[in-house]
Amino acid sequence: MQQADSTRPFKRDDAGRRYAQTRYSGVFQRLVAWREQRLAKRLLAHAYSDCNGHIVDLPCGYGRFYPLLKQMDFKVSAMDQSQAMVDIYSGHDRFDATDHAERADVLEPLPTKAAPAKRVLCVRLFQHLHHPELRVRALQTLAGDGRQIVMTYYDDGSLHYWTKRAAMRLKGKKVRVKMIPRAAFESEVEQAGLRVLKRVKLFWGIHAQTWVLLAPR
């Protein structure tokens, strides 16, 4: 599977905006979104001596984290494989002229304007990369020349893992999200020349989403 083969291509003209309006509309999803904002802020606040105030938001989606990044005084390079998401992000009514948004693939070198960034925010991508070699390649792209990374992946040690597997088995379908054993993830991080500084569960024991802060070794 290549990253260009999107699991959410938004081919219809209004699909991207409909996704932005409905994705976090339910009660539990609003709670998830609130918790994600808190964890992103907590990990991005971690001191990093090489930080130059420039961050890559990849995949940027429709801009959920943009207000937080501006609140934290980052210059933002927003990247997504979906042009629909890039268009929504850059159309934000408070989109700063110093920022930019463009289509990009995490399996390719970052665009020139994003390359100088020393931090990366990468939320809800790695559960869609089902092969270790792709995840290592993506980590290498994100890490670049000494970048610190705040990212998420789905760990297999949770109730979420077993309920998802059981539900898909009953439906006769394959699980679309990849849940990775902790040891396997840490091995991939090491292969990419990185180390885990911090690890926080979205909801410990319940949800598979795990937030990590990665830094160069």
Side-chain angles (χ1 to χ4, degrees):
M1 174 184 133
Q2 292 296 313
Q3 176 62 12
D5 297 329
S6 175
T7 56
R8 50 181 181 92
F10 304 114
K11 291 180 179 178
R12 291 178 53 183
D13 291 342
D14 62 343
R17 296 193 181 279
R18 183 181 303 144
Y19 175 87
Q21 292 167 358
T22 62
R23 176 62 180 87
Y24 295 97
S25 58
V27 174
F28 180 70
Q29 287 304 320
R30 289 200 300 271
L31 178 60
V32 166
W34 172 83
R35 176 70 171 157
E36 287 178 327
Q37 294 284 333
R38 294 288 296 270
L39 293 182
K41 184 176 183 178
R42 173 177 164 184
L43 294 182
L44 287 171
H46 191 275
Y48 185 44
S49 58
D50 289 342
C51 182
N52 59 1
H54 186 179
I55 192 168
V56 172
D57 184 3
L58 190 167
C60 65
Y62 59 86
R64 273 201 308 142
F65 293 96
Y66 185 64
L68 172 63
L69 298 179
K70 298 313 295 182
Q71 178 189 329
M72 299 183 76
D73 295 323
F74 282 110
K75 174 183 175 180
V76 181
S77 289
M79 311 276 144
D80 203 289
Q81 69 174 58
S82 166
Q83 187 62 48
M85 293 292 99
V86 170
D87 292 343
I88 294 171
Y89 198 113
S90 59
H92 194 285
D93 59 1
R94 295 186 179 179
F95 192 72
D96 196 308
T98 64
D99 302 330
H100 86 287
E102 62 181 299
R103 189 176 183 276
D105 190 325
V106 74
L107 300 181
E108 301 294 337
L110 291 181
T112 302
K113 289 184 178 180
K118 287 299 182 180
R119 276 190 165 164
V120 173
L121 178 65
C122 180
V123 180
R124 292 181 176 268
L125 171 64
F126 273 59
Q127 67 261 33
H128 299 300
L129 299 179
H130 287 215
H131 303 288
E133 61 273 17
L134 293 186
R135 294 194 294 270
V136 171
R137 189 169 156 192
L139 285 168
Q140 290 170 334
T141 296
L142 298 176
D145 185 18
R147 295 190 193 98
Q148 192 180 74
I149 304 168
V150 172
M151 63 167 287
T152 66
Y153 78 98
Y154 275 25
D155 192 290
D156 70 349
S158 67
L159 179 63
H160 190 186
Y161 172 75
W162 295 108
T163 56
K164 178 72 74 172
R165 283 173 63 92
M168 290 298 101
R169 182 167 294 181
L170 287 172
K171 294 177 181 179
K173 297 180 181 179
K174 292 183 178 180
V175 178
R176 293 184 63 190
V177 297
K178 178 65 176 178
M179 301 195 188
I180 312 165
R182 175 171 174 169
F185 176 77
E186 292 186 350
S187 173
E188 293 162 10
V189 166
E190 185 176 353
Q191 290 175 58
L194 297 162
R195 60 195 171 101
V196 178
L197 293 183
K198 300 230 178 240
R199 176 191 302 274
V200 189
K201 292 285 191 178
L202 183 74
F203 297 118
W204 191 88
I206 299 174
H207 202 286
Q209 191 189 86
T210 304
W211 285 71
V212 289
L213 173 65
L214 308 180
R217 281 192 288 141

